[in-house]
Amino acid sequence: MDNNSEGGVSRVRVAISMLALCLLASGCRSPDEHGAGSVSASVHSRSYQCERNKSGAELTNAGVVHAQVASCSGALRPQPRQPQLAAPAAREPTMAHRWWGNATFFGEHAIDDPDGVGHITPDPLMARITERGMRLMGIPAGLQVEGKGVTYPVPEPLKEVFDGIAIANDQFERLNAYVGDHSDGSVSVEWRSSHRPVMSATFVQGSPYVYLSVFRGDLLLRTLEADGERKGIFYRDDNSLGVWTDVAGQKNHFLLTGHGETRFTGESGSEIIAASRNSHFTLTWLPETEGGPPAKMIRDFLAHARQPVDEVRVDYEVDPQTYQVKVVHRYRYQGEAVETLAGLQPLHWKNSEQALTDYKTRSARGVVRFAVTDGFDYSLPHVGVLPGLPAGLGEYEPERLHALIRDFLARSPQEWNSATDTYFAGKNYGKVAELALIAREEGLKSEADRLLDWLKSELEDWFTADPSKESRYFVYDDLWNTVLGVDESFGAHQALNDHHFHYGYFVRAAAEICRVDPGWCAEDRWGPMVELLIRDYAAGRDDPQFPYLRHFDPAFGFSWASGSANYLLGNNNESTSEAATAYGAMVLYGLVTDQPDLVERGVYLQASTAATFWEYWNDIDGYRGRPSVHHNFPEAYDKLTTSIVWGAGHVFTTWFSDARAHILGIQGLPLSPLVLHLGLHPDYLQDYVALGLSESANGKPSGLKDGHWRDVWWNIWAMTDAEAALEDLAAHGTDYVPEEGETRAHTYHWVHAWRELGHLRSGRGDLTADYPAALAFESDAHTLYLVYNFSTTERTVTFSDGVRLRVDPGAFEILKMPAHGG
């Protein structure tokens, strides 16, 4: 793409250009922007990694570049990948990590190109952007329950059209596609020929409508065949034509409506030309009904078809008295509110008072229900966060816990972390931060200080981009408006994957450092570098250097992991617990540094992540036996849970293993007070644990194979049956290899603490507090209230049941009240 082409702007940012000069002149230091830290303007050539493959060689650890190179010999010259953007999107920080992120990375995929399988998924629709236009299908028509999950196995995915329809132009067959505009819940794709716009399409998440404009030529609608058993016409009027297709057992009904006087030709064939006086159209997908769409459905859907939507704005409010989150969706066109037929996902309609129509369809996340509205809102509870668990919870042996802490400290610091990539290094920093808090709570001040000093040295090393470094530094990429950690892992450069998973650990570690040493996070020291990582994965609105909430999708309420999303099923997200850790770490850091806006943003993201975990990964309403419309898993799906959510389905597996201990365990690591939502439904969690341990030799963590995360499962089990978890841990002992993000001391401390905590009481919405670091737990004997005060003055925290706790600055406070009838 020519970034200075018609409608585009230069991607060079003045601030970062100044940084580049600084890097050249003074060894990468930039005190004005990054405090004591610095970032590089590019990946150092000595950092490149190259591996031979069947096609030549693959280059990694070199930024957002084309991976394939001729060979690994000689000087490697990475070819940067250009974001496919046109104005106004080109004037804003580059956004990719959405259900439409594939379009930013690739623009169009050529028909029959095996390297371009990516689809965008404006659920309940699904599209592949091509050099001719797009292939469009309805997700509900193709969803199937298969061995590993519920997916849309797209037949002949590289063809221009097969199931569903294709939209093209009658005069152009070789077009380039760009993201022209986007909002919290919409994207506009523009097709160009020699930089001249030919046509555009706006997709809106949840909507049955696609809004089309043609600037040159006429609109062409293609089907696989002419009228017959697999295609036909079901509706005609002056400006609308209804086309059905039934291919590979997948039946779809589409209405094409011109916004002005419209003429259709070739209706009975496989190529239908639509010519409209004003060249604007709406393509409407109709929910499947037995016998085809009735006349009333057609009228009701057509009633809103000619009113375009070009923006979905999703805002949030956090109530300071309860820390409940209100999320507001608004539909607009050219800045003005518009009434449309909107599709609400299960998270939306189950938590909203929005009036709904009778129209609905079962799609990727569950039942989408349609409402006539210009917007809706819904409310979610927030569980709360803590920096860790205090000393004295549970009847553990202090001497044994201290010995486990000292055993860790007895190892060489080089053994604490040998990783040079952001993910595995981050996991090590997260576990040391947990251990440091436990040690300090136990009165082991010198041990805690040593751990904290090590964390400081490690993070300060990462936060200094010395030109001589081969690894352990950060790069700001001005083209993609992102921070890249060197070394990369899991496609964090090539596809901009997983930044929230990786950087969340760094932020969590920094929050513990600054809890003890606030000066370390000062503006002239390391705070700006910590906040740079937060801005990368979850920036606020109008940040000039980063897109808004890179990984988190406001329209769906959960995160997507991939930037490029070049997958048949669209984008995906696996570990909800690592996402919750990243967002909870924002809350901790915001509380430590007294940044209320950052706290509220983190609360919104974490509360949404927890709610969608229970909706979409676990189908808690289906488990509870509520009416079938509330079930998010189809009846034929026989698993309790799922692990990877896709734009067009979900699967019961992981990226790295089919072991059940991993499939279910990946949603519970790292186990800390940032992912307490896992314990919201302890009865469900009993069955979850049983399934996760079903391949264990004895049905317990102790019977798991090495590498199957015994300690993760003791931690999860403790949240529903601490007595059983503790018994199994005691029987097995501490002679095991911890999971990479765990320590033996933390597991020992955690499992014993839950024996006293019982079960989580906060987070259901009926018991709240006026401080985010305030939680309640319950057992048969008592209700336990637990608060940590991050401020420098005494604080009184009030719970909604009237309990009030006065908490000293920088301290925990615990109150136990007898259970009713106790």
Side-chain angles (χ1 to χ4, degrees), residues 100-169:
W100 47 265
N102 184 264
T104 299
F105 259 76
F106 300 101
E108 74 286 348
H109 287 303
I111 293 162
D112 293 327
D113 175 12
D115 294 326
V117 298
H119 286 75
I120 67 172
T121 54
D123 192 2
L125 294 169
M126 183 175 182
R128 182 172 185 258
I129 307 301
T130 74
E131 78 274 27
R132 295 180 187 171
M134 64 176 169
R135 174 176 169 175
L136 190 70
M137 303 87 80
I139 293 175
L143 281 180
Q144 297 180 22
V145 177
E146 298 181 309
K148 288 188 177 180
V150 182
T151 62
Y152 187 152
V154 180
E156 301 292 340
L158 305 180
K159 300 299 182 185
E160 181 186 9
V161 64
F162 195 75
D163 55 333
I165 61 173
I167 296 296
N169 188 285

Side-chain angles (χ1 to χ4, degrees), residues 333-378:
Y333 180 66
Q334 297 182 352
E336 299 295 326
V338 297
E339 187 174 81
T340 187
L341 188 61
L344 278 66
Q345 297 284 347
L347 177 74
H348 305 150
W349 61 261
K350 290 183 184 181
N351 296 287
S352 175
E353 297 181 359
Q354 171 65 48
L356 303 168
T357 69
D358 292 332
Y359 299 119
K360 58 184 179 292
T361 186
R362 179 167 290 281
S363 195
R365 303 280 72 82
V367 176
V368 176
R369 303 185 70 176
F370 294 97
V372 176
T373 184
D374 65 357
F376 62 90
D377 59 70
Y378 61 96

Side-chain angles (χ1 to χ4, degrees), residues 598-613:
L598 190 57
V599 171
E600 290 192 359
R601 195 187 322 151
V603 166
Y604 160 55
L605 299 176
Q606 196 183 37
S608 297
T609 300
T612 51
F613 168 75

